[in-house]
Amino acid sequence: METLTKKETIALRDKFIGKSCQLFFRKDPLKIVSAKGQYMFDERGDAYLDCINNVAHVGHCHPAVVKAGCEQMSTLNTNNRFLHDNIVLCAQRLVSTLPEELEVCFFVNSGSEANDLALRLAQIHTGNRHVIALEHAYHGHLTSLIDISHYKFNLPGGPAQREYVHVASCPDSYRGKFNDAKDEKSKIGELYANEIKDICDNVKTKFGEGMCAYIAESMLSCGGQVIPPPNYFENVYRHVRAAGGVCIADEVQVGFGRIGKHWWAFQQYDVVPDIVTMGKPMGNGHPVAAVITTRAVANSFLNTGVEYFNTYGGNPVSCAIANAVFDTIEKENLREHALVVGEYLLDSCQMLKKKHVCIGDVRGVGLFVGIEIVKDRNTREADYETATYIVSRMKEEHILLSVDGPDCNVIKLKPPMVFSKENVEDVVTTLDRILKEVRHNKEESFHQNRATRPIGASTEVIKETPNRKPGLDARIKSI
């Protein structure tokens, strides 16, 4: 295949790819040509430490996963309407990690397909149409999912909120409607859950109908790396089921052992969903996903008489790859690794918080961590400018981070599961230095502007700093 220069690639993308298909680092996008483990390499061979790619769950281009896919592709790849071992073995492994009530699998190609099918299952099983989703939540790019994703339909150009879609507050204990600055910590989950009960009651009063489903990520990624309060889901599930609805746990971004303690993030709350959806990490970048539900929900689907099939979902190659991902997680003890390295990452970020006042909150479980950047710790006002500056400077240091949350002020860390303690040290040391730059630049701007600025003018100026050579060479040579 012809090799293009970066300039040529950009030109062809501008010409042939839809402008709404956005890239990371839009002003200076990266052209990535290869990857291995937790590192990505550009067209010049420069390495970048990947702290955000939860898709490459067991590491980019893991040899065991690549081998499984290649060997199966060279033998057979066909649709799942033929009997084949890989799909049933994969289903057996998935079910073995879940509570016993969750025992029936449907295979699809993506997390979006999984969540769409979950909604369809819920509608058929309950006979209801009203759905509760969370503020700032994102569940996929299909039309049915944009309709329930506040992260999308709340945008200025987004579609109008559907009558049957009800948005509850994001259960954020730091900057949310109920938070630990003004509410009793033990009551926060209950307060957020009471909103769900109110929605259920209002639907009954206004429409004379019960609920169809409540859907939420077990930990909220696009909402800003939010860890719901301990008693939140227990109360929510009780209210939704009392109103005739089912509970859907979206594990697309947080499942497959990322939290370390359990295979699935919902398990840390001691609840059992009616439907679980999973995607991205399942194939380590290969498109494979699944929905797992109860026998009762699956039987409701069967009893409609409408056959379900998915041409590529659960094909032999996809399931061979998914099985290899399971093997790798178990053989390399990646759940335990995520727990140990995740605790080290969280503790290290907490140390940074003690040194830098712009860090308002650090939260996370396993290799799912968020750093909230604020202008003032007392008011907890979001600091978008500083957060985006940090991400830009970290990219210059060849460390890839991203921001999210409703105010784009939360720095996200969701690296491949092979992320190491040495990687944590690289990230934290570099971040510490950049946060010192931020403080210095703000102080310098303040002193410069104090003598010249008009009264009342803003002092919030963040100055560009020169590029620095990344210190990752030794780490890269070892992989």
Side-chain angles (χ1 to χ4, degrees), residues 9 19 58 87 95-96 99 103 143 220 222 229 232 250 259 302 342 359 365 394-395 398 400 415 448 453 456:
T9 302
K19 299 294 185 184
V58 297
I87 188 171
V95 168
S96 72
E103 55 180 338
T143 300
L220 284 70
C222 291
Y232 173 71
D250 182 340
I259 69 169
L302 174 66
I359 297 179
V365 184
M394 290 291 279
K395 177 195 169 230
H398 289 213
L400 304 182
Q448 287 177 348
R453 67 184 175 91

Side-chain angles (χ1 to χ4, degrees), residues 170-189 192 226-232 361 363 372 380:
C170 174
D172 178 0
S173 299
Y174 180 68
R175 291 185 65 238
K177 179 178 181 180
F178 306 109
N179 62 70
D180 57 20
K182 62 184 184 65
D183 300 294
E184 188 178 339
K185 286 186 179 182
S186 63
K187 296 290 186 182
I188 292 175
Y192 278 116
V226 172
I227 315 297
N231 56 348
Y232 173 71
D361 191 39
R363 51 186 177 260
E372 184 126 10
R380 303 188 177 187

Side-chain angles (χ1 to χ4, degrees), residues 348-421:
S348 299
C349 290
Q350 292 285 7
M351 293 298 292
L352 281 182
K353 179 184 173 184
K354 292 179 181 179
K355 295 176 65 176
H356 302 283
V357 296
C358 67
I359 297 179
D361 191 39
V362 173
R363 51 186 177 260
V365 184
L367 289 174
F368 181 91
V369 172
I371 303 171
E372 184 126 10
I373 307 300
V374 297
K375 292 182 178 179
D376 184 287
R377 283 187 179 176
N378 293 321
T379 65
R380 303 188 177 187
E381 182 183 356
D383 193 343
Y384 162 79
E385 291 82 5
T386 298
T388 53
Y389 173 86
I390 290 167
V391 169
S392 177
R393 281 288 295 115
M394 290 291 279
K395 177 195 169 230
E396 291 177 358
E397 300 288 345
H398 289 213
I399 296 174
L400 304 182
L401 299 171
S402 65
V403 293
D404 224 322
D407 296 304
C408 291
N409 70 308
V410 181
I411 296 173
K412 300 168 65 170
L413 292 104
K414 292 185 300 178
M417 294 277 278
V418 292
F419 205 70
S420 68
K421 284 188 175 182

Side-chain angles (χ1 to χ4, degrees), residues 82-285:
F82 292 99
L83 194 62
H84 198 275
D85 289 348
N86 288 357
I87 188 171
V88 296
L89 292 173
C90 190
Q92 183 181 46
R93 297 184 84 161
L94 286 171
V95 168
S96 72
T97 67
L98 291 159
E100 62 181 10
E101 297 93 330
L102 296 162
E103 55 180 338
V104 182
C105 298
F106 297 88
F107 285 85
V108 292
N109 300 292
S110 69
S112 291
E113 280 193 15
N115 282 329
D116 178 76
L117 178 57
L119 290 177
R120 184 176 168 194
L121 289 167
Q123 290 163 356
I124 290 170
H125 181 68
T126 65
N128 298 325
R129 63 191 179 107
H130 292 272
V131 175
I132 302 173
L134 293 179
E135 188 181 27
H136 317 310
Y138 174 67
H139 295 289
H141 63 84
L142 277 70
T143 300
S144 62
L145 304 173
I146 296 297
D147 284 347
I148 65 165
S149 295
H150 182 257
Y151 185 77
K152 291 294 185 181
F153 73 69
N154 191 50
L155 294 171
Q161 183 174 340
R162 305 294 184 183
E163 183 185 51
Y164 61 86
V165 175
H166 308 273
V167 178
S169 297
C170 174
D172 178 0
S173 299
Y174 180 68
R175 291 185 65 238
K177 179 178 181 180
F178 306 109
N179 62 70
D180 57 20
K182 62 184 184 65
D183 300 294
E184 188 178 339
K185 286 186 179 182
S186 63
K187 296 290 186 182
I188 292 175
E190 186 178 335
L191 291 169
Y192 278 116
N194 286 342
E195 283 197 357
I196 305 298
K197 184 180 187 303
D198 290 343
I199 291 172
C200 293
D201 291 345
N202 290 338
V203 166
K204 184 68 175 178
T205 300
K206 182 176 180 180
F207 300 98
E209 301 175 25
M211 296 307 305
C212 169
Y214 164 86
I215 183 170
E217 289 183 285
S218 303
M219 300 189 299
L220 284 70
S221 180
C222 291
Q225 302 294 89
V226 172
I227 315 297
N231 56 348
Y232 173 71
F233 282 116
E234 178 185 356
N235 286 298
V236 167
Y237 281 23
R238 178 166 50 84
H239 297 322
V240 171
R241 286 167 175 160
V246 298
C247 301
I248 303 170
D250 182 340
E251 293 273 339
V252 171
Q253 301 220 41
V254 296
F256 286 93
R258 176 161 291 279
I259 69 169
K261 299 175 184 177
H262 304 283
W263 276 99
W264 311 102
F266 74 79
Q267 290 172 316
Q268 68 185 315
Y269 297 102
D270 197 27
V271 294
V272 180
D274 301 289
I275 304 172
V276 177
T277 61
M278 52 193 67
K280 299 178 190 302
M282 186 172 174
N284 211 50

